[in-house]
Amino acid sequence: MGADQMHEQSVRQARVMELINAYRVRGHLIADIDPLHAMPLLYHPELDIETYNLTIWDLDRLFITGGLGGTETATLREILDILQRAYCGKVGIEYRHIQSKDEKLWLREQVRREFVQPEPIDGETKKQILWKLISAEQFERFLNTKFLGQKRFSLEGCETIVPLLDRLVERAGELGIEDIKLGMAHRGRLNVLANVIGHFCERIFTAFEGSVHPSFPADEGDVKYHQGAVGERETASGKKVRLTLSPNPSHLEAVDPVVEGMTRATQDESMEHLDLSREEAMSRALPVLLHGDAAFAGQGIVMETLQLAQLRGYRTGGTIHIIINNQIGFTTSPEAGRSSIYSTDVARMTQSPIFHINGDDPEAAYRTLRIALDYRQQYHKDVVLDVVGFRRLGHNETDEPSYTQPLMYQRVKEHPGVRAKYAKQLIREGAIDEAGVNQLIEERIRRYEDALARAKEIAAKQKSAEAFTPAVEELDGSNIVNTAIEPDVIKLIAQRISLVPEGFNLNPKMVSQLARRAKMGEGAQPMDWAFAEAIAFGSLALEGTRVRLSGQDSGRGTFSQRHAVLYDTQTGQAWAPLSELSSQENPRGRFEVFDSSLSEAGVLGFEYGYSVVAADALVMWEAQFGDFNNVAQSIVDQYIAASEDKWKQTSRLTMLLPHGYEGQGPEHSSARLERYLQLCAENNLCVCYPTTPAQYFHLLRRQVTAGFARPLIIMTPKSLLRLPAAASSLDQLTSGGFQPIIDDRELSHPASVERIVLCSGKVFYDLKEARSSVSEPRAGRGPRAGSPRGVEVATVPQHNDRGTEGSSDSSRDRLAIIRLEQFYPFPLRALTETIARYPNADELVWCQEEPKNMGAWTFMESRLENLLPRCERPRYIGRDASASPAIGSYAVHIQEQERLVNAALTID
């Protein structure tokens, strides 16, 4: 062979390698993944041999393959055949965006094993796949026949999801996975409940009959296609796998971080109980999330959840993401619903392998699942399975989809269904005959009929009885729970957080802070919020309670107050002194703090899910500023506030929301207290605004005691973190508990009090400071005559029959300031008893910093009516109603604050 020929052959060889690489990168673009064949298979120039100056005369030439398909050399024709089978069949594969060479080689080998040189699937597995397809199809048809017109959010068109999940459970058991947490929206949820999670047909049919199954009383609280379930499956290999389908609202993807948090808590508990490593625990518990294609592309919480996957405080060892791809979102076509090629493109940012699967090929789905699960167990990373199908009916069963997608639904109408296609395939292969298929269908229908008969009996019995749901009695929040600790415990914790290990290079600015901690621990200096918090965390850990805190900048603290994590200035190594606290008697106790991603909805949802499983732990999410919770409102509304009422799902999650008006503008003043108070009902939440470090300490400890299994919302301080007046003494931690009401401690003559000012939070210290400077009565009611700009003072009839006018009583003696520390459950008894100490008071004032349409006024007004015998209605003193939470000008803020304080303290 001459030099020119050798050169030409080398060039051809190089171009063949380019072609092979192009198929690995772009092959998915021409894969046969659309069951509707709405568009012909796309041509892509990078996959055309002519692009590489190769011709038909090269098809039978031998080339080096670089190991393609397990071969070292092959003809170009054979190479193209291998590439077509590997990357352009019923599965389109995206994996070349992954940076790890090891992962790419591993995936390449698995693709060869499953699609290029596949081992045949055994007959029993094929029959099980068919059985699950029949179960899924007949379930939808059964519901459509028996309950015509009722919403069920049918899975028809994507029935392959059911055998896919069935095989997932089987394969998971083989790989040592013992617990699977699933999350999904309403599309196909009933089918998954019936045919994957467990035997829930009777429960589902009872709900369609308009009743609640006695074994599932939670079903009364929400529609049937939002409910969750717990089941256990014994696999063919004899392994038991626990299955949990989390309940989910119509906020389609809101469940994603919740499931991740539930899984992480399960893994943490297995580490504690079974002494497993993190890697071992992750290998035993698996999160599985089912998404809609439009929602996966369109909802930001998907991205937030994906970004948690490899973070230290949130890792779960990889999630199996399954897209139920209907190729439509309600009435919106893909070209109007996303800018990306695929709905899954968002997952490329975390270097997750993505498989696009033709929903008409359940065997291809099964083979892909094996790769996905093995990859997850091997590399502990997310995998995305995009099962492309269609939606046979409208968004719900009453919609007419051809109004908006006439061409698509003509193709849908002509499609026979995946069950029919797969049954024909098995009949051709001789795995089953037509009579056998019909027998399976009849058996499935018989089982559904039996379940429906039992459901009708239950419904008939319930309808014959009087249906009555008693109202939930509101708790009185007056009781004080003893949460004190021993002085020795304080001393131990104070030492741990004040001393650094030998050789640890501390930031010089921290030296004085640690010295202050030591003095606080000795009682030589008043205790601030950060110290009280650390003692609360440490004491709980010593008692065997798991303490978990996460949020943006939670390690140091937004206001540089916490410093729960210290960093060596030479090595950068982190050290969290509280995490070293443990007890031989209670080894489960530990403290963890994590700086989260810059996410609110995702991280709050994760912590909520964690708290559902870690039912006895103190799990906290801290907002950088309280108003940041706005971005997570769906998690608050749908889960935190309503989950117990809707699904009987309890949580002790604690939200720490910095709140207080200090002139920082609209975005950093208000944690939107009013929103949480509006959500309060049926003892669903605890909402508090503590004013001292000791109160905060006792509140945190109370949250894990018996009887407090509800979410806790705390308005936490900003300026009070270092305010000398807002300090506590050590003896306040060694006795008592959280006080929902704090009476005025500076009055010596309660009988002289004419006005009671009731307030909460930071404004108390403004009132206290202003009152301390008043020694003589204030003349007149200046603010009453004409309210100052930005401050509203309501006018009410005045009573002055005590003969005190012109007396020597100072304004200080004539006015009591009472702090309401807990809004809900409302401490009515404690407040009534406190007010009774002032027999001559004829005016009850609610004073707040927030505008009138915000804060606590609308919550408090009706609760304060007629509490004071000499005053029917309370007065409001505070800022005027406003569209924005606060003014932007610091100077105007100061003026407003002074005016409302003066208005509250001014008496005739």
Side-chain angles (χ1 to χ4, degrees):
M1 181 183 294
D4 290 343
Q5 289 179 314
M6 290 179 63
H7 175 71
E8 184 180 350
Q9 179 64 19
S10 297
V11 170
R12 284 199 189 97
Q13 177 63 61
R15 287 170 176 170
V16 167
M17 296 306 295
E18 289 179 25
L19 176 65
I20 292 172
N21 184 64
Y23 265 89
R24 288 169 175 161
V25 176
R26 305 282 187 228
H28 58 88
L29 293 173
I30 64 170
D32 181 15
I33 60 173
D34 182 7
L36 295 179
H37 300 292
M39 296 180 66
L41 295 183
L42 297 175
Y43 166 82
H44 197 285
E46 289 188 48
L47 306 179
D48 189 336
I49 62 173
E50 293 184 4
T51 300
Y52 304 91
N53 292 327
L54 299 169
T55 69
I56 59 172
W57 306 108
D58 296 309
L59 289 176
D60 295 313
R61 285 197 172 102
L62 202 63
F63 294 95
I64 297 171
T65 67
L68 176 70
T71 64
E72 292 301 323
T73 61
T75 64
L76 179 58
R77 189 186 306 277
E78 291 169 337
I79 289 172
L80 289 172
D81 178 62
I82 292 172
L83 291 172
Q84 286 285 334
R85 281 184 284 148
Y87 301 110
C88 306
K90 298 293 185 180
V91 180
I93 304 165
E94 296 184 81
Y95 75 100
R96 296 292 288 181
H97 56 281
I98 298 173
Q99 292 183 7
S100 168
K101 180 181 179 181
D102 178 61
E103 291 179 34
K104 286 187 285 191
L105 291 176
W106 186 94
L107 286 165
R108 185 188 303 174
E109 174 61 17
Q110 302 309 308
V111 168
R112 181 195 66 78
R113 292 177 56 186
E114 294 292 354
F115 299 115
V116 179
Q117 298 168 334
E119 294 182 3
I121 299 174
D122 64 89
E124 286 303 312
T125 299
K126 289 175 180 282
K127 289 181 180 178
Q128 181 65 13
I129 291 173
L130 177 61
W131 170 247
K132 285 299 177 180
L133 285 173
I134 289 170
S135 299
E137 178 190 65
Q138 294 303 317
F139 178 82
E140 302 294 354
R141 292 185 178 183
F142 189 83
L143 289 179
N144 187 58
T145 301
K146 303 296 183 180
F147 305 102
L148 184 64
Q150 289 200 41
K151 290 182 182 180
R152 66 181 190 276
F153 296 99
S154 165
L155 189 62
E156 290 168 277
C158 281
E159 292 94 337
T160 295
I161 293 295
V162 170
L164 179 69
L165 289 174
D166 177 73
R167 295 295 88 192
L168 181 148
V169 176
E170 287 289 331
R171 181 67 173 165
E174 294 174 9
L175 297 177
I177 295 171
E178 301 170 347
D179 187 285
I180 299 176
K181 300 283 193 297
L182 297 98
M184 64 183 301
H186 43 274
R187 174 73 55 203
R189 173 176 286 261
L190 295 179
N191 213 316
V192 171
L193 279 170
N195 294 306
V196 177
I197 305 300
H199 304 291
F200 292 104
C201 292
E202 184 179 310
R203 169 192 178 184
I204 294 168
F205 297 157
T206 301
F208 274 101
E209 289 289 334
S211 297
V212 177
H213 196 289
S215 299
F216 303 95
D219 287 2
E220 182 182 22
D222 202 353
V223 292
K224 59 187 80 69
Y225 38 80
H226 289 171
Q227 295 291 351
V230 177
E232 187 174 77
R233 168 90 165 266
E234 183 170 347
T235 67
S237 58
K239 303 291 182 64
K240 291 185 177 180
V241 181
R242 180 178 174 84
L243 304 172
T244 303
L245 177 62
S246 172
N248 188 52
S250 282
H251 287 69
L252 304 174
E253 300 290 338
V255 75
D256 298 353
V258 174
V259 167
E260 299 293 342
M262 294 171 69
T263 305
R264 173 67 178 235
T266 300
Q267 293 169 352
D268 284 355
E269 289 192 342
S270 67
M271 289 172 64
E272 293 172 357
H273 294 299
L274 303 176
D275 194 27
L276 301 177
S277 67
R278 169 69 60 194
E279 299 297 313
E280 290 172 328
M282 290 192 301
S283 295
R284 295 194 184 192
L286 169 71
V288 176
L289 296 175
L290 289 88
H291 314 267
D293 52 316
F296 196 76
Q299 301 206 353
I301 199 169
V302 173
M303 186 279 293
E304 295 183 36
T305 305
L306 289 170
Q307 288 286 15
L308 294 176
Q310 296 301 320
L311 302 186
R312 184 175 66 90
Y314 310 90
R315 290 180 63 206
T316 56
T319 300
I320 302 296
H321 298 271
I322 301 174
I323 315 296
I324 304 176
N325 194 334
N326 301 308
Q327 306 190 67
I328 190 172
F330 203 162
T331 64
T332 304
S333 298
E335 60 270 18
R338 63 176 184 263
S339 297
S340 57
I341 297 175
Y342 298 113
S343 64
T344 57
D345 284 353
V346 66
R348 292 171 63 94
M349 67 183 179
T350 54
Q351 300 187 48
S352 302
I354 301 167
F355 299 86
H356 306 281
I357 308 165
N358 190 318
D360 272 0
D361 193 338
E363 290 186 8
Y366 168 58
R367 292 183 181 279
T368 307
L369 171 73
R370 293 200 296 199
I371 298 175
L373 266 179
D374 290 355
Y375 175 85
R376 188 268 179 185
Q377 292 296 86
Q378 175 81 12
Y379 295 104
H380 296 304
K381 290 181 61 178
D382 289 11
V383 189
V384 179
L385 305 182
D386 177 22
V387 182
V388 183
F390 54 88
R391 191 186 66 196
R392 186 168 291 282
L393 304 175
H395 176 68
N396 63 58
E397 286 64 42
T398 62
D399 286 337
E400 177 47 68
S402 63
Y403 289 156
T404 51
Q405 276 78 27
L407 299 181
M408 171 186 276
Y409 275 88
Q410 182 59 40
R411 291 179 180 273
V412 169
K413 186 177 180 181
E414 295 168 356
H415 194 286
V418 61
R419 193 278 308 165
K421 296 185 74 171
Y422 190 60
K424 286 183 179 179
Q425 175 187 325
L426 296 194
I427 291 172
R428 286 196 305 271
E429 294 175 356
I432 195 170
D433 57 22
E434 191 168 345
V437 173
N438 292 333
Q439 186 177 357
L440 291 177
I441 294 174
E442 291 169 2
E443 173 62 18
R444 184 71 270 182
I445 295 173
R446 183 190 65 78
R447 295 187 188 184
Y448 288 146
E449 289 284 5
D450 290 345
L452 178 60
R454 295 191 297 271
K456 286 181 176 292
E457 292 177 5
I458 292 170
K461 290 179 181 177
Q462 291 186 355
K463 290 175 182 177
S464 64
E466 183 179 359
F468 174 71
T469 303
V472 176
E473 182 179 353
E474 296 278 341
L475 295 173
D476 188 292
S478 301
N479 292 339
I480 297 176
V481 178
N482 186 358
T483 48
I485 61 175
E486 295 297 324
D488 289 346
V489 175
I490 299 176
K491 184 177 180 180
L492 170 63
I493 300 169
Q495 289 176 343
R496 290 292 182 90
I497 63 175
S498 303
L499 301 175
V500 297
E502 185 177 353
F504 189 90
N505 300 288
L506 185 67
N507 188 307
K509 294 182 180 180
M510 281 299 302
V511 174
S512 60
Q513 294 203 36
L514 294 193
R516 283 197 298 273
R517 288 182 182 180
K519 290 180 180 179
M520 291 177 195
E522 296 166 356
Q525 183 171 320
M527 174 177 53
D528 64 14
W529 289 79
F531 183 85
E533 180 187 69
I535 300 300
F537 293 164
S539 61
L540 289 171
L542 288 172
E543 292 169 7
T545 297
R546 192 187 318 169
V547 180
R548 177 186 167 94
L549 168 63
S550 86
Q552 297 154 17
D553 311 298
S554 289
R556 189 202 73 170
T558 296
F559 311 101
S560 195
Q561 86 283 5
R562 179 173 293 121
H563 293 289
V565 182
L566 303 175
Y567 295 89
D568 190 301
T569 58
Q570 300 299 316
T571 67
Q573 183 178 359
W575 174 61
L578 286 174
S579 65
E580 297 181 357
L581 289 171
S582 61
S583 168
Q584 293 182 352
E585 294 79 16
N586 297 292
R588 291 190 63 192
R590 74 168 187 272
F591 170 76
E592 291 182 313
V593 57
F594 300 106
D595 289 341
S596 75
S597 62
L598 199 67
S599 156
E600 286 80 34
V603 176
L604 180 58
F606 186 100
E607 300 304 336
Y608 168 81
Y610 193 102
S611 71
V612 169
V613 173
D616 298 325
L618 178 62
V619 182
M620 295 163 287
W621 175 75
E622 182 176 54
Q624 195 174 72
F625 285 90
D627 64 289
F628 285 22
N629 75 79
N630 292 344
V631 188
Q633 198 64 44
S634 63
I635 300 295
V636 174
D637 292 346
Q638 301 298 334
Y639 285 98
I640 294 171
S643 63
E644 184 173 7
D645 187 38
K646 293 194 294 185
W647 311 311
K648 298 296 183 288
Q649 185 166 278
T650 59
S651 164
R652 294 180 189 266
L653 178 68
T654 296
M655 295 178 64
L656 306 179
L657 307 177
H659 176 84
Y661 280 58
E662 288 126 345
Q664 294 187 341
E667 269 66 63
H668 293 326
S669 294
S670 177
R672 296 292 191 175
L673 171 63
E674 64 278 359
R675 293 182 180 173
Y676 295 95
L677 295 179
Q678 187 181 40
L679 292 170
C680 291
E682 300 180 307
N683 310 311
N684 63 329
L685 298 173
C686 186
V687 182
C688 298
Y689 195 175
T691 56
T692 72
Q695 282 282 87
Y696 181 48
F697 164 87
H698 287 296
L699 184 56
L700 291 174
R701 287 182 51 80
R702 189 186 73 170
Q703 182 62 5
V704 297
T705 61
F708 286 88
R710 66 177 66 88
L712 168 63
I713 315 300
I714 306 180
M715 301 291 112
T716 55
K718 294 180 291 181
S719 62
L720 300 191
L721 290 170
R722 297 178 176 87
L723 184 69
S728 301
S729 58
L730 289 184
D731 63 299
Q732 291 175 303
L733 307 189
T734 57
S735 63
F738 177 77
Q739 302 175 66
I741 297 288
I742 299 180
D743 197 2
D744 198 322
R745 295 168 175 170
E746 298 182 358
L747 292 177
S748 55
H749 302 290
S752 300
V753 170
E754 302 173 23
R755 174 187 290 180
I756 295 174
V757 177
L758 191 63
C759 65
S760 187
K762 186 189 78 67
V763 74
F764 164 75
Y765 291 100
D766 295 333
L767 293 169
K768 178 183 177 182
E769 181 183 9
R771 185 179 66 170
S772 67
S773 64
V774 175
S775 59
E776 296 299 329
R778 293 172 181 254
R781 297 181 184 266
R784 281 271 181 93
S787 296
R789 181 179 179 275
V791 176
E792 180 173 336
V793 183
T795 302
V796 295
Q798 298 301 304
H799 305 279
N800 191 10
D801 56 0
R802 295 187 299 277
T804 59
E805 191 167 331
S807 70
S808 61
D809 289 344
S810 70
S811 290
R812 168 180 289 192
D813 295 327
R814 297 165 64 193
L815 182 143
I817 305 175
I818 300 174
R819 282 172 277 176
L820 179 68
E821 303 276 293
Q822 176 172 297
F823 288 100
Y824 193 84
F826 190 68
L828 179 60
R829 174 173 53 80
L831 182 57
T832 303
E833 292 172 355
T834 302
I835 288 176
R837 292 187 60 243
Y838 306 101
N840 294 315
D842 64 2
E843 192 176 13
L844 181 61
V845 166
W846 173 258
C847 180
Q848 68 178 36
E849 299 182 298
E850 303 88 350
K852 188 176 183 181
N853 58 320
M854 302 176 193
W857 169 242
T858 54
F859 176 84
M860 294 296 297
E861 184 178 14
S862 62
R863 289 171 170 81
L864 297 181
E865 289 180 355
N866 298 312
L867 277 188
L868 190 63
R870 302 166 68 87
C871 175
E872 294 180 1
R873 298 185 62 80
R875 283 181 60 203
Y876 168 81
I877 293 179
R879 288 175 168 82
D880 292 333
S882 171
S884 175
I887 199 75
S889 166
Y890 182 75
V892 175
H893 159 76
I894 292 297
Q895 292 176 0
E896 289 181 349
Q897 198 76 0
E898 288 178 350
R899 288 168 180 166
L900 73 87
V901 168
N902 288 337
L905 299 180
T906 300
I907 303 179
D908 284 342

